[in-house]
Amino acid sequence: MRTLWQHRLLRVMTMVVTVLAACWGAWLALIPLVATDVIRLDARGYGILLSALGVGGLVGVLAVGPINRWLGRRWAMFADILGTAAMVAAPVVSTDMWVVAAAAFLGGMGGTLWTVNSRTISQRVVPEEMLGRYNAAARLFGWGALPVGAGLVGLLAEWFGVRAAFAVFAVATLALVVPFLRTVTPAALAEVPTGHAHHDR
């Protein structure tokens, strides 16, 4: 925890992924209700909607190398903020299955871009003897945010409606833009050691 907190880049990356993970928890918890009651999908349509998320993740795996070379690591990671924002905002602005599915695709793709790049950064920044404990601390925030997001979106949906609940998470995601761009700068990334990353533990 001390290693995570004392390194500004790692600290902000952990904050960002905590909010993004909460959004994922919210989306996964509420999308069945949206699909059945708002978009009124049948089982086939719901399958397509969920598959879009997984296909996006697969495309992200295949494309992360070219995207990193084209946009750079910073903008590849930033794409996850925009993709997650689109994923949680789509049910607010549209009841079209294809719009929601396309946004889920972007969310899934962005999630993979973030995971690959952030893991590479942390493996190169964190001392090898601390890496296992650092990963455990970082994942406490990321994985821990999933049920928090699911519970919070349920309360918001109960009190204010489904669209308002998703809108709160969309705003929260967009609020990450400024701290991300101020912290994950070209200069900060230039200080990340190059060479082979440590093996993940």
Side-chain angles (χ1 to χ4, degrees), residues 12 29 35 48 56 61 69 87 90 98 115 120 138 159 162 185:
V12 172
I48 291 173
V61 169
R69 288 190 293 272
M87 185 175 76
W98 296 108
T115 299
T120 299
W159 294 336
V162 170
T185 61

Side-chain angles (χ1 to χ4, degrees), residues 137-177:
R139 289 174 183 177
L140 173 66
F141 289 97
W143 288 103
L146 287 167
V148 173
L152 180 58
V153 82
L155 291 175
L156 291 172
E158 182 72 22
W159 294 336
F160 305 110
V162 170
R163 284 192 172 91
F166 272 129
V168 168
F169 281 87
V171 170
T173 306
L174 292 175
L176 298 172
V177 168

Side-chain angles (χ1 to χ4, degrees), residues 4 39 45 49-50 53 65 70 94 102 104 112 133-134 137 148 152 160 189 195 200:
L4 188 158
I39 309 178
L49 184 59
L50 287 187
L53 189 69
W70 179 39
S94 178
T112 302
R133 283 169 285 175
Y134 166 80
V148 173
L152 180 58
F160 305 110
L189 293 178
D200 190 20

Side-chain angles (χ1 to χ4, degrees), residues 1-65:
M1 289 292 289
R2 184 168 59 250
T3 298
L4 188 158
W5 183 256
Q6 290 177 347
H7 196 289
R8 184 173 181 234
L9 179 61
L10 297 178
R11 184 172 70 246
V12 172
M13 283 170 47
T14 301
M15 178 197 74
V16 170
V17 81
T18 299
V19 175
L20 296 180
C23 289
W24 275 66
W27 191 88
L28 291 169
L30 206 53
I31 203 64
L33 180 64
V34 172
T36 55
D37 290 2
V38 179
I39 309 178
R40 302 201 176 276
L41 297 179
D42 57 14
R44 175 178 172 274
Y46 184 58
I48 291 173
L49 184 59
L50 287 187
S51 296
L53 189 69
V55 171
L58 178 60
V59 170
V61 169
L62 299 175
V64 64

Side-chain angles (χ1 to χ4, degrees), residues 83-98:
T84 302
M87 185 175 76
V88 293
V92 180
V93 300
S94 178
T95 57
D96 186 294
M97 179 191 77
W98 296 108

Side-chain angles (χ1 to χ4, degrees), residues 71-147:
L71 297 177
R73 194 180 303 279
R74 182 194 194 206
W75 295 112
M77 294 172 69
F78 183 71
D80 186 29
I81 296 177
L82 299 183
T84 302
M87 185 175 76
V88 293
V92 180
V93 300
S94 178
T95 57
D96 186 294
M97 179 191 77
W98 296 108
V99 172
V100 178
F105 173 89
L106 294 176
M109 183 175 178
T112 302
L113 295 177
W114 177 279
T115 299
V116 172
N117 283 301
S118 65
R119 190 66 56 81
T120 299
I121 290 170
S122 64
Q123 287 177 343
R124 289 176 175 172
V125 169
V126 178
E128 187 168 6
E129 65 275 11
M130 289 293 300
L131 193 57
R133 283 169 285 175
Y134 166 80
N135 283 334
R139 289 174 183 177
L140 173 66
F141 289 97
W143 288 103
L146 287 167

